[in-house]
């Protein structure tokens, strides 16, 4: 069975599976295999709803939860077992799970189970199931791996397709934006600000990316949480409960961790990068526009070459992916004020507030009502609107790349000559600060941001390009006042027992000292050029490291 996410695949196999269960027999008769704990729990929830008036028991077995409780549930009564391959194998080896009476096996998201390395587990499980079983396979996409599964595990399969293979839902609007790499996070922030009612998911490739972005969003005042494979089951359940109850505005997740998430009314799906597989893009986008509703799928890219990849995605899903400029300051302000006006208009008055208002008006009797309104706006939204008003335009990414490499300061008058001469990047605007800590001392971009922003209380949006080298790190600060604050606050602070020294730099040198080039076991030159923070050139033998 092939159909888009949110169209009812669980019901498509769940309802007929339930009708095949003999309620008088207290042993497992149906087995559903799925790749993740979240999907396992979601399937169980749906099957229990479908069988509300039928006396059958559905049991979930998955890793990360108490195996003793799952064993007790299996021994009491389990007519339909829904599980992840690893835990199913574990319970088979313990002799607790008996599959001799299974008449139907469902492989849900089988392609993802293969991607996660469950091939041998699936072979082992199906070798313990009667050959007379029915085998059903359901998926939102149809990559080649699914066809191979059908050939391997199914006899004379019949394919039922709703819609087109890998097609995108027609009620999803697809956009992309092109920004410089150092503006990628800022672009995400602006889209969140431009959509005050946003309730969505942001997909990243790696667990590290999800954690870093979620932490930055939280630090900047947004309601966000990360969901990835390093979390315990208790943590995952807690985060998902908050998300379902809309106490989280944005869930930042990896593709694997998001499998099985079925949350209603998601308005936006944000792609932090283009996934390697087009099918993954379809899966991600399908989290929104469920049950006939509309949604937005937005991809932020940092390399013009990725547009070609997006065109391939566009052809596969059969829907246009249009360029959407990152909102300007005045657009964000207008949207925020529109949302505030609508919120005020829809707010119901209550007697206690009316009484308090009369008291306030009496106390402020010498101030005109219009001025009171102005002061209230300044008190509650003034700082936010003032911060938005100073946002620079970041929709100039197309001219900031050369050979796919991020060069955010290319517009500087001195760029062409200095870049060709190997002197590194110059900042068109802002001040470059050089720190005497680098990757050798355990710093990375996430920790570097935290090291700067937390003590100084400076927003990460005020920071430009960041470069981490082996023993040096560089950051571009928005203005002189902030640069002085960073220097005065962080100078001589300890990082991993190393006293931090901060200097002004006129450029960001290439980290050639960490990657020397040799020819016939000798340096190509006798020395190479590095730059001190004050821009003075010095000569260092290749044999020396930073």
């Amino acid at each position: 069975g092939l159909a888009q996410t949110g169209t009812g695949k669980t019901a498509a196999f769940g309802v007929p599976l339930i009708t095949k269960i003999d309620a008088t027999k207290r042993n497992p008769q149906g087995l559903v295999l799925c790749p993740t704990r979240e999907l396992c729990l979601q399937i169980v929830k749906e099957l229990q709803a479908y069988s509300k008036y039928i006396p059958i028991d559905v049991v979930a077995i998955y890793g990360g939860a108490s195996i003793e409780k799952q064993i007790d549930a299996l021994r009491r009564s389990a007519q339909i077992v829904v599980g992840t391959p690893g835990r199913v194998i574990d319970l088979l080896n313990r002799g607790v799970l008996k599959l001799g009476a299974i008449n139907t096996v469902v492989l849900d998201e089988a392609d993802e189970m293969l991607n996660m390395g469950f091939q041998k587990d699936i072979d082992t499980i199906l070798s313990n199931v009667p050959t007379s079983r029915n085998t059903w396979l359901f998926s939102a996409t149809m990559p080649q791996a699914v066809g191979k599964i059908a050939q391997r595990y199914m006899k004379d399969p019949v394919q039922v397709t709703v819609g087109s293979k890998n097609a995108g839902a027609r009620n999803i609007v697809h956009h992309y934006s092109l920004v410089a790499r150092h503006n990628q996070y800022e672009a995400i922030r602006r889209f969140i600000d431009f959509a005050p009612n946003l309730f969505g998911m942001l997909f990243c490739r790696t667990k590290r990316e999800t954690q870093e972005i979620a932490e930055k969003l939280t630090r900047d005042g947004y309601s966000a949480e990360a969901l990835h494979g390093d979390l315990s089951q208790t943590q995952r359940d807690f985060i998902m409960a908050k998300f379902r109850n809309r106490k989280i505005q944005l869930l930042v997740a990896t593709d694997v961790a998001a499998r099985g998430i079925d949350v209603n009314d998601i308005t936006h799906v944000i792609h932090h990068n283009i996934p390697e597989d087009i099918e993954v893009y379809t899966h991600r986008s399908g989290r929104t526009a469920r049950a006939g509703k509309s949604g937005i799928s937005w991809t932020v890219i940092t390399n013009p070459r990725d547009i070609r990849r997006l065109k391939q995605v566009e052809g596969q899903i059969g829907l246009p992916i249009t360029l959407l400029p990152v909102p300007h300051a005045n657009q964000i302000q207008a949207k925020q004020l529109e949302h505030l006006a609508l919120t005020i208009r829809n707010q119901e008055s209550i007697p206690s507030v009316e009484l308090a208002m009369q008291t306030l008006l009496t106390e402020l009797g010498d101030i005109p009502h219009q001025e009171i309104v102005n002061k209230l706006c300044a008190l509650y939204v003034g700082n936010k609107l003032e911060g938005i008003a100073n946002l620079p335009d970041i929709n100039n990414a197309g001219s900031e790349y050369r050979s796919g490499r991020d060069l955010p300061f290319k517009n500087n008058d001195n760029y062409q000559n200095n870049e060709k001469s190997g002197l590194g990047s110059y900042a068109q605007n802002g001040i470059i600060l050089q720190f005497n800590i680098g990757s050798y001392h355990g710093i990375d971009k996430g920790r570097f941001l935290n090291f700067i922003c937390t003590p100084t209380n400076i927003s990460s949006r005020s920071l430009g390009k960041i470069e981490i080298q082996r023993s040096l790190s560089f950051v571009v600060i928005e203005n002189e006042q902030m640069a002085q604050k960073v220097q005065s606050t962080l100078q001589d602070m300890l990082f991993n027992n190393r006293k931090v020294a901060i200097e002004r730099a006129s450029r960001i040198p290439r980290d050639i000292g960490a990657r020397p080039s040799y020819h016939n076991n000798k340096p190509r030159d006798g020395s190479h050029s590095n730059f001190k923070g004050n821009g003075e050139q010095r000569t260092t033998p290749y044999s020396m490291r930073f």
Side-chain angles (χ1 to χ4, degrees):
L2 178 66
Q4 292 308 303
T5 300
T7 55
K9 290 190 299 299
T10 306
F13 69 74
V15 173
L17 176 61
I18 290 168
T19 65
K20 295 185 67 176
I21 301 301
D22 185 347
T24 63
K25 297 179 180 179
R26 312 307 295 176
N27 56 352
Q29 300 162 53
L31 174 65
V32 181
L33 294 177
C34 55
T36 66
R37 295 169 283 191
E38 282 73 27
L39 185 54
C40 177
L41 292 170
Q42 183 63 38
I43 292 171
V44 169
K45 179 182 176 182
E46 297 296 327
L47 294 182
Q48 289 174 339
Y50 303 150
S51 61
K52 181 176 180 180
Y53 301 106
I54 303 174
I56 64 173
D57 289 323
V58 183
V59 173
I61 54 175
Y62 53 89
S66 170
I67 195 170
E68 289 77 15
K69 291 183 179 179
Q70 294 175 3
I71 290 173
D72 290 342
L74 288 172
R75 285 175 173 166
R76 284 198 306 271
S77 175
Q79 290 147 314
I80 297 178
V81 176
V82 183
T84 54
R87 182 53 62 92
V88 171
I89 289 287
D90 194 355
L91 293 171
L92 278 174
N93 292 337
R94 292 171 182 245
V96 177
L97 180 59
K98 308 291 184 180
L99 302 180
I102 294 291
N103 58 50
T104 306
V105 174
V106 180
L107 302 176
D108 194 21
E109 308 284 12
D111 58 324
E112 187 62 24
M113 286 192 283
L114 291 185
N115 291 338
M116 295 171 66
F118 289 133
Q119 177 74 64
K120 291 184 179 179
D121 288 347
I122 293 174
D123 290 340
T124 301
I125 293 168
L126 294 184
S127 68
N128 285 272
V129 179
T131 56
S132 59
R133 68 181 184 270
N134 288 148
T135 304
W136 302 345
L137 186 152
F138 284 79
S139 180
T141 61
M142 191 66 174
Q144 291 182 350
V146 172
K148 292 180 181 178
I149 292 173
Q151 294 174 5
R152 186 181 184 91
Y153 299 120
M154 305 174 78
K155 182 179 180 181
D156 300 326
V158 176
Q159 179 177 310
V160 179
T161 302
V162 178
S164 302
K165 292 181 181 180
N166 300 330
R170 297 291 156 180
N171 48 350
I172 300 177
V173 178
H174 298 263
H175 295 301
Y176 76 92
S177 297
L178 175 62
V179 298
R181 189 174 293 113
H182 73 287
N183 281 328
Q184 190 173 23
Y185 173 71
E186 174 64 18
I188 292 172
R189 285 192 51 168
R190 293 195 191 182
F191 271 99
I192 297 174
D193 289 339
F194 188 68
N197 291 318
L198 180 147
F199 174 61
M201 297 183 67
L202 192 159
F203 285 95
C204 302
R205 274 200 196 99
T206 66
K207 293 178 281 190
R208 178 178 172 179
E209 279 182 344
T210 62
Q211 193 64 45
E212 287 181 354
I213 292 174
E215 288 176 358
K216 288 166 71 175
L217 287 170
T218 301
R219 186 170 63 242
D220 289 336
Y222 298 92
S223 175
E225 291 280 1
L227 186 72
H228 52 73
D230 285 348
L231 300 176
S232 67
Q233 187 60 41
T234 301
Q235 289 173 313
R236 294 162 72 97
D237 291 343
F238 177 70
I239 290 171
M240 283 308 304
K242 288 174 66 178
F243 187 55
R244 288 193 174 94
N245 293 327
R246 300 179 77 96
K247 293 181 180 178
I248 300 172
Q249 184 184 18
L250 193 66
L251 185 67
V252 187
T254 58
D255 293 300
V256 172
R259 286 278 176 155
I261 292 178
D262 187 10
V263 178
N264 295 326
D265 302 325
I266 290 177
T267 61
H268 292 70
V269 169
I270 301 173
H271 310 267
H272 187 253
N273 39 52
I274 305 175
E276 296 296 330
D277 297 325
I278 295 175
E279 292 81 10
V280 173
Y281 179 92
T282 307
H283 262 296
R284 289 177 174 183
S285 301
R287 301 298 170 186
T288 186
R290 300 173 76 90
K293 296 183 179 179
S294 60
I296 294 174
S297 176
W298 173 62
T299 305
V300 52
I301 62 176
T302 60
N303 192 329
R305 292 178 176 178
D306 288 336
I307 296 175
R308 187 179 305 165
R309 176 65 175 161
L310 278 177
K311 291 299 179 183
Q312 295 175 350
V313 175
E314 186 179 66
Q316 192 72 40
I317 66 176
L319 293 170
I321 304 178
T322 58
L323 175 64
L324 181 65
V326 178
H328 295 281
N330 58 347
Q331 293 173 311
I332 297 174
Q333 274 190 332
K335 185 65 71 171
Q336 290 282 339
L337 290 172
E338 177 186 334
H339 176 68
L340 176 61
L342 185 63
T343 302
I344 294 173
R345 184 181 297 277
N346 294 335
Q347 178 63 50
E348 295 183 2
S349 297
I350 55 177
S352 58
V353 173
E354 291 179 0
L355 180 61
M357 189 64 184
Q358 291 299 324
T359 303
L360 282 174
L361 290 175
T362 301
E363 292 290 333
L364 303 172
D366 58 328
I367 303 176
H369 288 186
Q370 182 60 49
E371 189 174 344
I372 293 176
V373 172
N374 291 344
K375 290 178 180 293
L376 287 173
C377 283
L379 181 63
Y380 289 103
V381 298
N383 290 338
K384 186 172 185 179
L385 294 179
E386 186 175 336
I388 294 173
N390 297 321
L391 294 178
D393 180 17
I394 60 175
N395 285 298
N396 59 350
S399 63
E400 294 182 352
Y401 296 85
R402 191 183 69 175
S403 303
R405 184 160 53 92
D406 187 11
L407 299 171
F409 307 118
K410 184 173 179 179
N411 293 327
N412 184 272
D413 294 337
N414 297 323
Y415 170 81
Q416 295 289 342
N417 294 331
N418 290 319
E419 183 62 23
K420 289 178 181 178
S421 64
L423 301 185
S425 302
Y426 279 71
Q428 180 183 9
N429 297 304
I431 295 111
I432 301 178
L433 294 183
Q434 171 188 298
F435 292 69
N436 67 334
I437 50 177
S439 58
Y440 178 81
H441 308 104
I443 198 80
D444 56 31
K445 287 191 177 181
R447 298 184 73 184
F448 193 43
L449 269 173
N450 187 59
F451 179 73
I452 295 172
C453 296
T454 301
T456 61
N457 200 29
I458 290 177
S459 170
S460 60
R461 74 166 62 191
S462 300
L463 306 182
K465 180 179 176 67
I466 291 176
E467 182 164 321
I468 308 296
Q469 299 185 358
R470 189 173 188 272
S471 62
L472 297 174
S473 297
F474 298 85
V475 61
V476 178
I477 307 293
E478 189 175 273
N479 55 49
E480 176 64 31
Q481 182 180 358
M482 290 183 180
Q484 289 180 4
K485 184 175 183 180
V486 170
Q487 283 189 280
S488 62
T489 305
L490 303 180
Q491 191 77 260
D492 296 331
M493 280 187 65
L494 292 179
F495 181 86
N496 282 355
N497 295 320
R498 179 176 176 81
K499 184 180 289 189
V500 174
I502 306 171
E503 302 177 24
R504 301 292 179 102
S506 60
R507 56 186 64 82
I508 301 176
R510 294 195 180 99
D511 191 16
I512 54 178
R515 295 182 295 276
S517 299
Y518 289 87
H519 182 67
N520 295 329
N521 296 323
K522 294 181 181 180
R524 293 180 181 174
D525 302 302
S527 62
H528 72 278
S529 296
N530 289 326
F531 292 87
K532 297 180 181 180
N534 59 11
E536 295 176 3
Q537 190 170 345
R538 67 187 179 192
T539 301
T540 308
Y542 263 116
S543 59
M544 293 181 64
R545 299 281 182 164
F546 277 112

